[in-house]
C-alpha cells in the first residue's frame, strides 16, 4: 500500500483549496473567503537580518465573513485531503476559535471522492452551517453553531 508523502498531501490539499476558492463565490455569494498564509522566516538582505512573521501556527486554512448577519458572521474553515491529519496546533486553534463562538468547520475529503465531488459536498456543508448560524444569531437568546457533527469533540 502506498503511503503518501507530506508533499503529496499538500499538493492535494492545495488543489482542493484552489477549487473551493473558485467555486465558493458562485455557490455562496454572501460568503467572502480569504486564504491564510502562515510565515515564520528569517531573511538576510543587504547584510541585515530580518524576521518575517505572519499568523500563528495552526490557524485554519481559510477565514471569511458571511454577510447574512449584521454584523457579518466570521467563519473559519480547515481543509483536509483524505489522508491529511490535523496537527496539535490546528486542534488548539479549532478549540480556541470555537471557544470564542466563531463558526468553525473541519472539511475532510473522502478517500473515494474526486476533487469536484469533494468541493461540491464541502460547499453544501458550509452552506448548511452558515444557514444554521444565521438563523441562530438572529435570535437574541440563541448561540451560533460552532461545528458540525463531523468535527471532533473535546472532553
Amino acid at each position: 500500500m502506498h503511503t503518501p508523502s507530506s508533499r503529496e498531501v499538500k499538493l492535494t490539499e492545495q488543489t482542493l483549496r484552489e477549487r473551493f476558492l473558485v467555486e465558493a463565490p458562485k455557490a455562496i455569494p454572501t460568503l467572502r473567503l480569504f486564504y491564510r498564509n502562515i510565515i515564520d522566516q528569517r531573511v538576510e538582505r543587504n547584510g541585515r537580518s530580518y524576521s518575517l512573521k505572519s499568523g500563528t501556527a495552526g490557524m485554519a486554512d481559510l477565514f471569511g465573513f458571511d454577510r447574512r448577519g449584521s454584523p457579518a458572521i466570521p467563519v473559519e474553515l480547515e481543509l483536509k485531503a483524505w489522508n491529511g491529519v490535523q496537527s496539535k496546533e490546528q486542534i488548539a486553534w479549532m478549540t480556541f476559535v470555537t471557544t470564542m463562538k466563531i463558526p468553525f468547520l473541519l472539511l475532510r475529503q473522502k478517500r473515494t471522492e474526486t476533487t469536484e465531488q469533494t468541493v461540491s459536498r464541502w460547499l453544501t456543508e458550509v452552506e448548511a452551517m452558515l444557514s444554521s448560524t444565521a438563523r441562530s444569531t438572529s435570535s437574541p437568546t440563541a448561540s451560533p453553531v460552532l461545528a458540525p457533527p463531523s468535527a471532533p469533540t473535546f472532553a
Side-chain angles (χ1 to χ4, degrees):
M1 179 175 171
H2 171 70
T3 303
S5 68
S6 62
R7 178 169 166 72
E8 289 173 313
V9 172
K10 285 189 184 297
L11 288 173
T12 302
E13 286 182 4
Q14 179 180 349
T15 302
L16 288 166
R17 183 186 67 238
E18 289 169 356
R19 266 327 293 149
F20 187 80
L21 285 171
V22 166
E23 297 302 323
K26 298 179 219 171
I28 311 171
T30 59
L31 179 63
R32 177 70 168 107
L33 291 173
F34 305 90
Y35 172 66
R36 236 189 214 122
N37 287 305
I38 308 300
I39 301 168
D40 187 359
Q41 191 72 39
R42 201 105 177 110
V43 176
E44 302 287 332
R45 186 172 177 179
N46 298 329
R48 297 191 68 181
S49 180
Y50 300 91
S51 179
L52 302 175
K53 291 189 183 246
S54 175
T56 300
M59 291 176 116
D61 295 319
L62 304 175
F63 72 100
F65 301 93
D66 185 54
R67 296 186 308 268
R68 283 175 243 209
S70 180
I73 300 165
V75 62
E76 299 261 338
L77 304 174
E78 179 65 33
L79 313 179
K80 288 292 174 200
W82 68 268
N83 51 359
V85 177
Q86 272 187 296
S87 67
K88 289 184 294 187
E89 294 85 1
Q90 288 172 330
I91 292 169
W93 182 260
M94 180 177 65
T95 303
F96 167 73
V97 167
T98 56
T99 300
M100 299 295 291
K101 299 191 186 260
I102 296 171
F104 180 96
L105 203 53
L106 174 59
L107 299 166
R108 289 189 183 279
Q109 178 186 35
K110 293 180 181 174
R111 186 176 186 150
T112 58
E113 286 180 325
T114 65
T115 298
E116 292 74 22
Q117 290 169 329
T118 299
V119 168
S120 177
R121 180 175 53 80
W122 285 359
L123 289 167
T124 300
E125 290 178 19
V126 170
E127 174 61 39
M129 181 190 69
L130 293 173
S131 293
S132 176
T133 301
R135 279 193 307 276
S136 66
T137 56
S138 65
S139 165
T141 58
S143 61
V145 172
L146 301 179
S150 62
T153 56
F154 297 93

